[in-house]
Amino acid sequence: MKDRVLAIDGGNSKTAVLLVDADGKVLAEVRGPGAPPQTVGMKRGLAVFEALAREAAAQAGLSPDEPIATHTAAYLAGADLPREEEDLTRAISERAWSTTTFVGNDTFALLRAGTAAAGGVAVVCGAGINAVGVARDGRTHRFPALGAISGDWGGGGQLGNDALWHAVRAEDGRGKPTLLLDALLEHYGEPTIAKVVEKIHFEELLLDPHALCPLVFEAAAQGDEVARAQVDRLVEEIVLLATVSMRKLDLLDEPVDVVLGGGVLTNTGDAVVAPVRRQILAAAPLAQVRVVDVPPVVGAALLGLDHIGASPTAELRLRSAYADQSPPTPWNVAVGG
């Protein structure tokens, strides 16, 4: 069997799978729903991964009775602690998609997608928020990324939930006036936020905080003080994640790649990226701050190619397959900071 890598980027909102050969040629590419096993349960999560892996195999023309790949590189949201990585590695290995399997947090795939160097720092801000740092000597720095219990703040879910919180308090008098109130009333098509809260409570309305997140940036772009404070805090958290990782790995005074990814960072133009870049460079003048320009699943595939000892030309070929893809369409906002 010619060496192949099965790469899985298992995010909160979607799952992407690539099957590539040892030369970096894309044999199959499929996408499906987000199914982090820690969120949806191991059985359901693995069922989604299984279906997508088999779909990729069929797309590549493989017979059902042959191994899908030499190596599986699965980088998953929610694989935040060593115990979780071990459990997932065991469960995915039992699927027998490949001879070897490696499971890691999806932030490592983002880092590899954004740099060809041996190390760097990556911050993802999408549904949630997380960061990882890798020094050139192999040392790593990670955060537990378990939510509020591990000190986290940020991500689309956080911004959306906070938008509703501020709108409620603006309407009942406990908080400052904010454009978020009118924005959420229009979003839900209800006359009052009190009615929105009542319907959410009785499960007559779905609370999707990620859908509310763009409203925060729109209000901030219009000069809303409350929304602006949310965006400023998000910038502060992203900068903290990056600079703490750099400090822990002694990288503040070294040339280092800082890779930014996730929907909130890639879809908001310069609203977040510009102030983040400026503040990171103030702390680490030699850093190169960039927004990832290929899908994170490419990073998962590159890590898999690294594992099987593929040549540098394989990386070039794989990256070139995505070089002409258009960047994400940004939300229609432009917030200074």
Side-chain angles (χ1 to χ4, degrees):
M1 180 185 74
K2 183 178 175 65
D3 284 346
R4 295 187 293 264
V5 169
L6 178 66
I8 302 174
D9 171 42
N12 286 295
S13 59
K14 64 182 181 301
T15 303
V17 173
L18 277 185
L19 184 62
V20 302
D21 67 16
D23 296 323
K25 179 182 178 182
V26 177
L27 305 175
E29 180 177 9
V30 297
R31 289 165 64 101
Q38 289 81 355
T39 302
V40 304
M42 185 72 80
K43 182 177 180 180
R44 181 180 170 191
L46 289 177
V48 170
F49 300 158
E50 174 79 29
L52 294 175
R54 295 301 171 187
E55 183 181 347
Q59 192 180 111
L62 304 180
S63 65
D65 58 346
E66 68 178 307
I68 298 175
T70 313
H71 179 68
T72 297
Y75 290 85
L76 312 176
D80 296 309
L81 299 173
R83 183 190 304 181
E84 292 168 326
E85 292 175 335
E86 292 167 6
D87 290 345
L88 286 163
T89 298
R90 187 180 311 109
I92 290 176
S93 296
E94 290 173 353
R95 296 279 164 160
W97 299 331
S98 57
T99 306
T100 58
T101 299
F102 183 87
V103 176
N105 186 268
D106 59 341
T107 316
F108 284 98
L110 171 65
L111 176 59
R112 188 64 178 88
T115 179
V121 171
V123 181
V124 60
C125 185
I129 193 166
N130 197 5
V132 65
V134 179
R136 290 179 181 83
D137 60 8
R139 289 177 297 132
T140 63
H141 177 262
R142 300 174 62 176
F143 296 91
L146 301 175
I149 63 171
S150 59
D152 306 329
W153 188 94
Q158 180 86 57
L159 288 166
N161 280 320
D162 284 2
L164 178 59
W165 187 87
H166 284 296
V168 168
R169 293 171 70 88
E171 182 175 88
D172 69 20
R174 287 178 292 172
K176 296 179 179 179
T178 173
L179 295 175
L180 291 171
L181 175 55
D182 289 338
L184 266 69
L185 291 178
E186 181 178 353
H187 176 82
Y188 284 110
E190 296 291 342
T192 67
I193 284 293
K195 178 58 69 174
V196 171
V197 171
E198 178 182 329
K199 287 191 171 185
I200 290 173
H201 175 70
F202 287 113
E203 299 182 348
E204 297 167 354
L205 274 179
L206 173 66
L207 172 59
D208 180 3
H210 309 297
L212 303 180
C213 180
L215 304 181
V216 176
F217 289 92
E218 291 168 7
Q222 297 174 56
D224 183 75
E225 179 183 350
V226 171
R228 176 69 259 177
Q230 282 188 268
V231 175
D232 287 345
R233 185 177 178 189
L234 180 64
V235 168
E236 179 184 4
E237 289 294 323
I238 293 168
V239 173
L240 275 170
L241 287 167
T243 54
V244 167
S245 290
M246 284 188 279
R247 185 173 71 249
K248 296 287 188 179
L249 296 173
D250 303 313
L251 296 174
L252 286 173
D253 298 317
E254 299 289 332
V256 58
D257 290 324
V258 179
V259 181
L260 307 176
V264 175
L265 279 164
T266 58
N267 293 332
T268 54
D270 278 341
V272 177
V273 173
V276 163
R277 177 180 286 113
R278 183 169 59 250
Q279 292 180 36
I280 287 177
L281 291 177
L286 300 180
Q288 294 289 328
V289 183
R290 61 171 64 94
V291 177
V292 68
D293 59 358
V294 297
V297 70
V298 173
L302 289 171
L303 287 164
L305 290 171
D306 293 341
H307 178 86
I308 66 172
S311 70
T313 58
E315 176 167 351
L316 293 175
R317 184 174 189 178
L318 179 55
R319 287 189 182 277
S320 68
Y322 293 87
D324 296 329
Q325 291 192 3
S326 300
T329 301
W331 295 330
N332 187 26
V333 292
V335 184

